[in-house]
Amino acid sequence: MKNLFTPLLSFGFTLISATFAQAQVVTIPVETAHNALVLQSNVAKQLNAIYYGKKLSNAPEYSAIPDTYKQAEDYTGLYNAAYTAAGSRNLLEPAIAVTHADGNNSLDLRYVSHEVTKQGDDVSLLRIELKDPVYATNVTLYYKVYYKEDIIEQWSEIRNTEKGTITLQKFASANLNLKANSYWLRQYHGDWAREMQPEETQLTHGIKTLDTKLGTRINLFMPSVFMVSFDKPAGEDEGKVLYGGLEWSGNFKTDFEVDPQNNLRIISGINNYASPYELKSGESLTTPAFWYTMSDMGKGEASRNVQNWARDYKILDGKGQRLTLLNNWEATYFDFNETRLSGLLKDTKSLGVDLFLLDDGWFANKYPRNSDHTGLGDWEENRTKLPHGIASLDKEAQADGVKFGIWIEPEMVSPKSALYSKHPDWVIKQPQREEYYYRNQLVLDLTNTQVQDFVFHTIDSLFIKAPGLAYIKWDCNAVIYNAYSVHLKNKQSQFYVDYVNGLYKVLKRIRAKYPTVPMMLCSGGGGRVDYGALQYFTEYWPSDNTDPLERIFIQWEYSYFYPAIASSNHVTDWGKQPLKYRIDVAMMGKLGFDIVIDKLSAADRKFSQDAVKIYDGVKQIIWHGDQYRLADPRTGSVASVMYVDASKSSGVMFNYLVNSRYGEGSPTPFKLKGLDAVKRYKLQEINLYPGSKSGIDSERVYSGDFLMKIGFNPAVNTSRSSVIVQINEVK
């Protein structure tokens, strides 16, 4: 058989095979709109990744790509294995390590077959079967391709068909092999109120690891998302860059290994820390998906790829609508009653937002929730604060013409709670060791099906009591100390994995019964969001830090990986900036308010009401449009971001002063992006404070070509510290 080329689909995958010495070389290009990941089974049936970069116009030529790893193979093993196994020829960091029933620690995975299924006009799934020729251990590699978005999701399924039990010592989702002269990693760290702090460094030889061992989805210190630039740090509109992240709401680990031949290997998956996972005969483990995209046109294009993919496929109702809201937390904290909440319901209507959100403090009777020391787990209404229950609030909200939502933290328990007293075996804690609290609470054991049922019925009961309930704010404010599950008994090493899978089981049940109710993914800490959790939620809470100046930086970094429609941005009293600045910043996502409405001046109240109306007029562009970053707050005195709709006929440009020193501002125009060069546009300043006037000429007409090559100056300065400009096509 000579150079056989067989198209398998209209896009995504092709098969190229050739016969040498009665053994077959199979080349499998995994193609997106602009890129190709090329896998190849050699004559020994070892599956290697020989290329990831710009795709070729002539698919059969992929088989001619030289294997750049072969020179080093004799002394360092299979550098470019598509899924690197431990204990055989590989001497580098493995993606999978197994202890077999007889105690042997080796694994040698060989190609068996592959198949492709088309799952939509834009989506295909490749399955590649691998098998150890000595031990009955099978691995299926999955590559899910989102063609137009240039996104690939990758994961693995590990099956034990031996007679005895095997132990997975490591079980990564993906193993990427990349080639360049140098690599620059942009990673993120954080803490409470300091989310998404970026650091960019050149990767040196050896292994750089990003990971978390905190157990819950709070991920206080490090999110799993990252960027890798090739040869030099990528700019917003130039340079080659890879984005990636793990779809897992617990402990993760991502290794970046630059080998002696200057190749970069990225291995990402569930953190195997304290987590050897047993598989009995016939059992399997499916790892979470690792997503990635590559762009040779800078960080901006890569982020738009991810945002489009997220809206289309990963976020619940990502192409739909969102509810603006008024939250009571900063107005009342734990101190409220029905009369006070009744006033806030009327404030919700007066402000013009869609929904009133009742935050923490509405529950528990034996140990009333009057502070964060008590009550978690006792999800009955507090009879002193709410003698008529949430059903009464739900009805009153409907009578006032607004919707009603509620806060809950069902994964957690307070030591001072009736639940803890009744079910101490439901709580994660080490026996005979002193309890150690984070935020005065402990975590419920979601590996236990009884606890899963309890959490589900807790949520379900809210809808039974208040059928009009329109929103859930689902919080998570504790990490796992003294990890131990009474339920798992002698399988404690499976705890961290089974805990997250238990959470997902609950979320799947909730979404099966309540598929469309908006829910906020909320927690306190630096890495609180991932696409594993977001498939069940409509939005996430970026930070408890709502100082608008700080939020500009936090939201800027989140936006590389998550679209504006998913970002819950609330106007609060944090920060020293004027109300206009605070509202303008919150508009760059899903707008909410957490302020004391009755303490606003008449002018501030009027401005807030008008701002909601203005936001309603432009929110579709922000939520569903393409985002372009014009001026980086980390490199200048002004931050500037714009959103453009799909037809390139409308846009919104946000501009903020981030350096208040004398004379700072926008002395030169910013070049706009994403417009149509031949279309003509008018620019008008919107969301002006009552009594103020704009110096922007709203009647002047510009070509898209002019605005993108010469630019526009929003005239940001210390007296105009926040400027929003609406861009409309002139027909």
Side-chain angles (χ1 to χ4, degrees):
M1 184 167 58
K2 296 182 180 179
N3 295 326
L4 176 65
F5 169 51
T6 306
L8 297 180
L9 285 178
S10 59
F11 68 87
F13 306 96
T14 54
L15 169 66
I16 305 162
S17 60
T19 300
F20 298 94
Q22 297 183 342
Q24 190 178 62
V25 173
V26 179
T27 304
I28 312 169
V30 183
E31 293 185 325
T32 63
H34 300 98
N35 302 317
L37 170 68
V38 182
L39 308 171
Q40 188 177 79
S41 171
N42 61 22
V43 293
K45 297 188 180 297
Q46 296 157 334
L47 185 69
N48 297 324
I50 63 172
Y51 176 77
Y52 183 32
K54 299 295 291 181
K55 76 175 183 181
L56 302 179
S57 57
N58 182 20
E61 289 191 298
Y62 288 120
S63 61
I65 293 174
D67 189 340
T68 58
Y69 302 87
K70 285 181 179 177
Q71 294 178 350
E73 196 172 288
D74 289 340
Y75 67 93
T76 54
L78 300 176
Y79 270 143
N80 61 336
Y83 195 63
T84 311
S88 53
R89 295 182 62 196
N90 170 64
L91 299 178
L92 297 176
E93 184 66 24
I96 181 172
V98 176
T99 300
H100 297 283
D102 64 0
N104 192 297
N105 287 319
S106 69
L107 187 66
D108 185 10
L109 296 173
R110 302 299 176 103
Y111 170 84
V112 177
S113 64
H114 75 277
E115 66 174 0
V116 180
T117 56
K118 189 172 180 179
Q119 299 190 330
D121 292 339
D122 186 46
V123 184
S124 290
L125 181 66
L126 166 67
R127 294 166 46 105
I128 302 178
E129 298 293 339
L130 306 176
K131 188 179 185 303
D132 190 311
V134 176
Y135 287 91
T137 302
N138 300 69
V139 174
T140 304
L141 300 182
Y142 292 88
Y143 297 82
K144 192 170 186 177
V145 172
Y146 301 84
Y147 185 79
K148 292 184 296 185
E149 295 81 8
D150 280 322
I151 297 275
I152 298 174
E153 285 182 299
Q154 186 176 337
W155 67 94
S156 60
E157 181 187 4
I158 305 160
R159 299 185 304 282
N160 175 23
T161 55
E162 297 183 28
K163 293 182 179 179
T165 298
I166 68 173
T167 302
L168 306 182
Q169 307 292 349
K170 189 172 184 181
F171 35 96
S173 298
N175 184 167
L176 292 183
N177 298 270
L178 304 165
K179 183 67 176 177
N181 294 318
S182 60
Y183 310 91
W184 296 80
L185 172 67
R186 187 178 181 93
Q187 66 182 83
Y188 295 89
H189 69 277
D191 204 339
W192 183 83
R194 297 189 66 252
E195 289 77 10
M196 293 299 285
Q197 303 294 312
E199 292 178 327
E200 190 160 28
T201 55
Q202 184 174 358
L203 288 170
T204 57
H205 292 84
I207 297 179
K208 166 76 172 183
T209 297
L210 307 180
D211 76 338
T212 180
K213 305 178 181 73
L214 305 183
T216 64
R217 63 179 174 84
I218 193 172
N219 283 357
L220 265 172
F221 305 129
M222 185 168 289
S224 67
V225 292
F226 64 88
M227 308 178 196
V228 172
S229 299
F230 298 81
D231 299 324
K232 64 177 183 178
E236 190 66 29
D237 302 302
E238 55 84 27
K240 185 176 179 181
V241 64
L242 173 87
Y243 282 23
L246 190 68
E247 298 174 34
W248 181 249
S249 307
N251 294 348
F252 72 88
K253 182 180 181 183
T254 302
D255 292 321
F256 304 84
E257 183 171 20
V258 180
D259 69 28
Q261 300 300 316
N262 218 41
N263 305 297
L264 173 62
R265 302 168 73 253
I266 301 176
I267 297 175
S268 186
I270 296 172
N271 198 335
N272 58 326
Y273 161 76
S275 297
Y277 204 93
E278 291 186 354
L279 294 180
K280 295 179 181 178
S281 180
E283 290 184 339
S284 65
L285 175 71
T286 300
T287 66
F290 172 74
W291 65 265
Y292 50 96
T293 187
M294 183 182 288
S295 166
D296 64 355
M297 297 180 65
K299 296 184 292 186
E301 181 184 73
S303 72
R304 287 186 289 277
N305 288 346
V306 177
Q307 290 174 4
N308 287 332
W309 168 72
R311 285 190 294 259
D312 286 345
Y313 301 104
K314 303 307 295 185
I315 299 173
L316 189 68
D317 197 26
K319 300 185 78 171
Q321 301 302 305
R322 296 294 184 269
L323 298 171
T324 53
L325 61 82
L326 174 65
N327 193 5
N328 72 300
W329 179 243
E330 295 202 11
T332 68
Y333 295 99
F334 294 100
D335 183 18
F336 56 82
N337 55 33
E338 286 183 345
T339 301
R340 196 167 185 188
L341 295 181
S342 180
L344 289 172
L345 284 168
K346 290 177 172 54
D347 286 339
T348 304
K349 179 65 174 179
S350 172
L351 186 60
V353 294
D354 302 312
L355 175 137
F356 170 71
L357 173 61
L358 175 59
D359 214 291
D360 196 356
W362 57 268
F363 52 92
N365 288 293
K366 183 176 181 180
Y367 301 98
R369 183 68 169 179
N370 295 323
S371 73
D372 64 7
H373 288 70
T374 58
L376 286 178
D378 300 345
W379 300 108
E380 76 279 353
E381 298 97 324
N382 180 274
R383 289 186 292 270
T384 301
K385 296 178 183 180
L386 302 176
H388 298 97
I390 62 171
S392 175
L393 292 173
D394 181 28
K395 291 177 182 177
E396 186 174 355
Q398 294 181 52
D400 287 337
V402 295
K403 297 180 184 296
F404 173 65
I406 202 165
W407 176 97
I408 196 165
E409 193 175 5
E411 298 162 66
M412 303 294 161
V413 62
S414 298
K416 286 188 177 182
S417 66
L419 178 68
Y420 183 93
S421 300
K422 184 178 180 180
H423 293 290
D425 56 319
W426 285 9
V427 179
I428 297 169
K429 59 175 183 173
Q430 286 280 353
Q432 300 180 336
R433 295 192 187 278
E434 182 180 358
E435 292 179 357
Y436 194 79
Y437 308 133
Y438 190 94
R439 198 177 179 257
N440 308 301
Q441 62 196 61
L442 293 167
V443 182
L444 290 176
D445 182 8
L446 285 172
T447 71
N448 188 332
T449 54
Q450 289 182 302
V451 177
Q452 294 171 23
D453 290 341
F454 169 79
V455 174
F456 170 77
H457 290 303
T458 293
I459 302 294
D460 191 35
S461 68
L462 297 176
F463 290 99
I464 294 171
K465 293 175 182 177
L469 187 64
Y471 189 89
I472 298 287
K473 179 181 178 182
W474 186 316
D475 215 339
C476 176
N477 288 300
V479 301
I480 294 175
Y481 291 114
N482 292 329
Y484 183 85
S485 164
V486 173
H487 174 72
L488 288 177
K489 298 179 182 178
N490 63 345
K491 292 187 176 181
Q492 296 302 315
S493 68
Q494 300 184 187
F495 167 74
Y496 285 118
V497 177
D498 290 351
Y499 171 84
V500 178
N501 283 329
L503 172 63
Y504 289 160
K505 288 177 182 178
V506 173
L507 289 168
K508 287 176 183 176
R509 289 176 66 185
I510 291 169
R511 281 310 179 192
K513 189 168 184 180
Y514 305 102
T516 61
V517 175
M519 292 203 307
M520 180 203 292
L521 181 69
C522 184
S523 75
R528 57 172 54 84
V529 57
D530 68 272
Y531 282 117
L534 268 182
Q535 63 184 309
Y536 306 106
F537 291 82
T538 50
E539 56 220 61
Y540 70 97
W541 181 237
S543 176
D544 287 344
N545 186 344
T546 52
D547 180 317
L549 181 60
E550 296 294 333
R551 268 300 188 105
I552 288 170
F553 291 84
I554 292 170
Q555 291 169 198
W556 180 281
E557 300 299 337
Y558 271 120
S559 76
Y560 284 117
F561 305 98
Y562 303 100
I565 192 172
S567 180
S568 291
N569 304 336
H570 290 186
V571 181
T572 74
D573 290 329
W574 280 48
K576 299 179 181 179
Q577 292 75 22
L579 181 63
K580 171 178 164 50
Y581 195 104
R582 286 181 273 148
I583 291 179
D584 286 357
V585 172
M587 280 187 174
M588 292 193 302
K590 204 221 73 170
L591 177 66
F593 290 82
D594 200 340
I595 56 178
V596 185
I597 300 297
D598 59 10
K599 290 186 179 180
L600 294 177
S601 67
D604 278 355
R605 191 181 185 100
K606 176 68 164 57
F607 173 70
S608 299
Q609 293 167 332
D610 290 344
V612 172
K613 295 175 183 176
I614 289 170
Y615 178 74
D616 285 342
V618 298
K619 63 188 180 184
Q620 300 302 327
I621 303 171
I622 299 166
W623 293 349
H624 304 297
D626 289 329
Q627 182 189 37
Y628 297 88
R629 300 169 197 85
L630 309 182
D632 190 335
R634 297 188 186 278
T635 59
S637 296
V638 176
S640 183
V641 176
M642 68 180 292
Y643 302 86
V644 181
D645 70 0
S647 67
K648 299 182 182 295
S649 59
S650 299
V652 186
M653 179 185 182
F654 293 89
N655 309 275
Y656 310 100
L657 186 67
V658 297
N659 183 346
S660 59
R661 294 188 65 190
Y662 177 79
E664 295 296 330
S666 54
T668 57
F670 298 135
K671 294 179 181 178
L672 277 59
K673 302 174 185 177
L675 301 176
D676 187 321
V678 301
K679 288 184 177 180
R680 299 184 306 150
Y681 300 93
K682 284 185 177 181
L683 280 66
Q684 177 185 8
E685 185 172 355
I686 59 174
N687 214 36
L688 290 162
Y689 194 82
S692 61
K693 295 183 179 181
S694 174
I696 295 174
D697 183 356
S698 61
E699 295 303 315
R700 183 171 179 179
V701 177
Y702 303 86
S703 69
D705 185 55
F706 179 92
L707 291 171
M708 291 189 291
K709 290 179 179 176
I710 305 299
F712 174 80
N713 192 340
V716 178
N717 53 54
T718 52
S719 61
R720 286 170 47 82
S721 59
S722 176
V723 177
I724 304 179
V725 178
Q726 187 169 7
I727 305 158
N728 287 312
E729 180 186 1
V730 178
K731 299 292 187 179

